[in-house]
Amino acid sequence: MRVLGVRHGATRVADDATVSGDMSRRSRDERALLREAVRLACENAERREQPFGALVVRDGRVVGTGVSTILRDGDPMAHAEVAAVRDACRSLGTLDLRGAMLACSCEPCPMCHAAAVLAGISRIVYAATKDTAARHGFALSGVAADMQSTWRAKRLDPVEHVPTEGADEPFVRFDERART
C-alpha cells in the first residue's frame, strides 16, 4: 500500500500486498499512512495549531482526514482523530466505520479513542507515543490519564504503536512556532 496523493476526501492508497497477507508489507503500509498523518500534523503546527493529524482508511483508501483545530475554533474537542472520523462518516454517508483503520500522528487520548470505538473503527495505529507528546507539553493528567490507562488495560480494541521515523517532528515544529 502506498499513499498516492492527498486531497480532502480523495486520498487513494495503492495496495501492493500479496494475498498471503505479508506482515512486513502491512507494517510498511501502516508506516506510509502514519507518515502521512505526521505530515498533516507538521503542516498544522506550521499554522500555529496543535500538532496532530489523523486519517481514516477503509478498503485501501483514505476516506477521512483531520487535524486539530482546538486553538482556531476555541473548541477543546476539535481533535484530529475526531475530525477524521467525522470526515469519513460524511464522505461515506454512514455512521458505521466498521472495517476501517484510524492512523494517528500521536497516541489518541481517551475521547478520540472513544469516538473511534463508537464509529466502529476496527484498528487504531499511531506514530508518536503519549510520552513523546508529554515531553512537549501535551501530557494527559487526572481523569483523562486514568481513562486512557483503563482502556488500554482492558484491550477493548486493537491499538498499536508503530514506530515511525519523524514522529516527533510535529511537536518540534509546534515548539519552534510557540517561541516566535
Side-chain angles (χ1 to χ4, degrees):
M1 186 180 339
R2 296 181 311 267
V3 176
L4 297 177
V6 174
R7 275 192 341 234
H8 181 73
T11 304
R12 293 286 303 159
V13 178
D15 188 358
D16 296 331
T18 62
V19 176
S20 67
D22 179 12
M23 289 300 283
S24 65
R25 172 73 63 188
R26 186 179 93 184
S27 179
R28 283 193 302 268
D29 296 347
E30 289 174 352
R31 281 190 176 82
L33 292 165
L34 288 168
R35 282 192 300 273
E36 179 61 20
V38 168
R39 185 190 68 75
L40 290 172
C42 284
E43 287 179 358
N44 212 41
E46 292 291 333
R47 291 189 294 269
R48 297 180 186 268
E49 238 332 321
Q50 290 192 343
F52 302 98
L55 311 166
V56 176
V57 180
R58 186 155 100 180
D59 298 328
R61 71 183 187 102
V62 175
V63 295
T65 62
V67 294
S68 171
T69 57
I70 290 171
L71 300 176
R72 182 193 75 196
D73 297 346
D75 179 355
M77 292 174 281
H79 290 208
E81 298 88 343
V82 172
V85 167
R86 287 176 175 159
D87 187 44
C89 289
R90 277 191 301 268
S91 77
L92 295 173
T94 183
L95 302 177
D96 183 359
L97 297 179
R98 275 182 287 193
M101 178 180 72
L102 179 63
C104 313
S105 63
C106 188
E107 187 170 356
C109 74
M111 179 186 71
C112 293
H113 189 158
V117 168
L118 290 171
I121 298 279
S122 302
R123 180 169 166 73
I124 301 171
V125 294
Y126 60 92
T129 66
K130 63 183 177 184
D131 295 331
T132 299
R135 284 194 301 276
H136 294 275
F138 293 95
L140 292 176
S141 61
V143 172
D146 292 344
M147 288 171 62
Q148 188 174 52
S149 296
T150 300
W151 278 73
R152 296 302 191 272
K154 289 184 181 286
R155 299 193 181 280
L156 299 174
D157 54 10
V159 178
E160 182 180 353
H161 174 236
V162 178
T164 306
E165 186 176 337
D168 65 335
E169 185 62 24
F171 297 105
V172 170
R173 291 188 188 191
F174 182 82
D175 292 346
E176 288 170 356
R177 294 290 173 254
R179 286 193 295 271
T180 60

